[in-house]
Amino acid sequence: MSRIILASQSPRRQELIAHITPEFTVIVSDAEESLPEGLPPEDVPAYLAGIKAETVAADHPDDIVIGADTVVILDGCILGKPRDKDDAVRMLSALSGKAHTVVTGCAVYQGSRRITFSEQTRVEFYPLSDREILEYIATGEPFDKAGAYGIQGRGCVLVKRIEGDFFNVMGLPVARLKRELKRFGALSAE
């Protein structure tokens, strides 16, 4: 029987994949995440997910390897993880009172079999005061998250509404991934 391997060190993804299957192994990909010129922002997560999955799958060809990557896109630009406090202030100020898109790409690899897909969720922030931004940054929560916020934590108070998959914003579109894994033959069809 093939193992399911999650090629991600994200504790959030590990927590979320457990909703699909309690039986999985984590092997962190050491892939270099360089992008080809001209890749549209909404295609970046699926591309990076594929690189992560491919790197781990090369050493585990009989297993089912899942790679994932999440980006926040505002006005056509990707907001990654903030480098420092000033970068977090810049990102959260830019997101204040606006809608943005969170895109998570997933790749499922087993030998030469591969599927890749992306899920998009629209997130709208309330207008944020400078004080709200600084108080949120003081929690330390923004620093390991794309766009400098986590919807599942204290960042939930920044969000006015979402359209789409909540778990996608956390980093893994659980419902869609489960269906794709079934189609792939990694889970029983029930």
Side-chain angles (χ1 to χ4, degrees), residues 12 40 46 52 92 100 114 128 131 139 162 189:
R12 288 170 296 283
K52 293 173 185 179
L92 292 168
H100 60 277
R114 298 163 180 214
L128 306 175
R131 180 178 177 162
T139 68
I162 72 166

Side-chain angles (χ1 to χ4, degrees), residues 7-26:
S8 175
Q9 66 184 355
S10 164
R12 288 170 296 283
R13 287 195 185 106
Q14 293 171 31
E15 173 189 332
L16 293 174
I17 200 167
H19 294 303
I20 298 171
T21 178
E23 310 250 342
F24 66 94
T25 302
V26 174

Side-chain angles (χ1 to χ4, degrees), residues 56-178:
V56 173
D59 293 332
H60 303 276
D62 296 328
D63 294 317
I64 297 157
V65 179
I66 301 166
D69 195 81
T70 302
V71 299
V72 171
I73 302 172
L74 176 67
D75 299 329
C77 296
I78 293 176
L79 301 181
K81 296 175 184 175
R83 293 179 305 278
D84 54 28
K85 178 183 172 184
D86 291 340
D87 201 27
V89 168
R90 179 189 63 80
M91 287 184 195
L92 292 168
S93 296
L95 293 169
S96 175
K98 294 183 183 171
H100 60 277
T101 304
V102 177
V103 182
T104 299
C106 294
V108 182
Y109 284 29
Q110 183 182 37
S112 62
R113 296 177 51 215
R114 298 163 180 214
I115 58 170
T116 305
F117 66 91
S118 291
E119 191 70 29
Q120 294 190 15
T121 302
R122 184 179 180 275
V123 180
E124 183 180 348
F125 268 28
Y126 282 103
L128 306 175
S129 69
D130 291 345
R131 180 178 177 162
E132 284 176 294
I133 290 170
L134 292 174
E135 285 176 352
Y136 179 58
I137 290 170
T139 68
E141 192 175 273
F143 296 105
D144 69 337
K145 295 169 182 66
Y149 77 96
I151 195 169
Q152 72 280 5
R154 293 178 178 161
C156 67
V157 299
L158 312 176
V159 177
K160 184 174 184 178
R161 74 174 53 95
I162 72 166
E163 295 173 18
D165 184 335
F166 172 83
F167 295 107
N168 187 56
V169 183
M170 283 180 64
L172 201 65
V174 177
R176 177 146 182 217
L177 179 58
K178 181 176 181 179

